[in-house]
Amino acid sequence: LQDTEECAQKKEEQNRLVIKNLVEENKGLNICCADLLGDLEKLRKQEAQWKTEKSGNDTRIKNLEADLAEGRERMKELHSICDNLSSQIAVKQAEIFQKDCDVIRAK
């Protein structure tokens, strides 16, 4: 009976040590878990901020693309006007040349 009681006491002591170690390990895991949750929350905030920035950048890109398309269209118009004026200059130069010839003949 005494041996059984001693054995039971040793088992109880071992169980207490195991429980104490498990409680300590659990505390460490809880701290680790809290740190990970904090990191996760920071990352979620950062993700939300990046999404906001991305949305702003996307809008800016669309505006720039629209401005670029408008600029290209205006450049085409100006190029057309320039070609038209070049044609008019060529016609006027031909007229001036013809008038110069007429003046020379008249002299």
Side-chain angles (χ1 to χ4, degrees):
L1 181 62
Q2 195 175 14
D3 286 344
T4 304
E5 285 178 359
E6 285 178 14
C7 187
Q9 284 177 348
K10 286 181 183 178
K11 280 285 187 191
E12 255 185 66
E13 188 60 35
Q14 286 177 343
N15 286 340
R16 280 190 203 113
L17 285 173
V18 168
I19 290 171
K20 182 181 176 185
N21 289 337
L22 289 174
V23 167
E24 290 298 319
E25 186 178 347
N26 191 31
K27 285 180 185 177
L29 290 173
N30 285 336
I31 291 169
C32 185
C33 199
D35 290 344
L36 289 172
L37 287 173
D39 291 346
L40 179 62
E41 186 60 30
K42 286 179 189 175
L43 289 172
R44 284 185 176 154
K45 286 179 183 178
Q46 192 174 44
E47 178 189 22
Q49 180 183 354
W50 286 347
K51 283 183 179 179
T52 302
E53 288 175 9
K54 184 185 180 302
S55 176
N57 288 339
D58 288 347
T59 301
R60 188 165 173 243
I61 286 169
K62 284 180 183 177
N63 291 339
L64 289 171
E65 286 174 344
D67 290 347
L68 180 62
E70 186 179 316
R72 283 182 177 155
E73 195 59 37
R74 181 72 178 136
M75 193 170 86
K76 285 179 186 178
E77 291 171 9
L78 292 173
H79 190 61
S80 177
I81 291 169
C82 186
D83 287 345
N84 188 18
L85 290 173
S86 293
S87 296
Q88 289 179 17
I89 288 171
V91 168
K92 292 295 181 187
Q93 285 177 334
E95 289 175 5
I96 290 171
F97 179 75
Q98 187 61 44
K99 288 184 181 182
D100 283 345
C101 288
D102 291 346
V103 168
I104 290 171
R105 269 188 251 141
K107 284 183 181 178

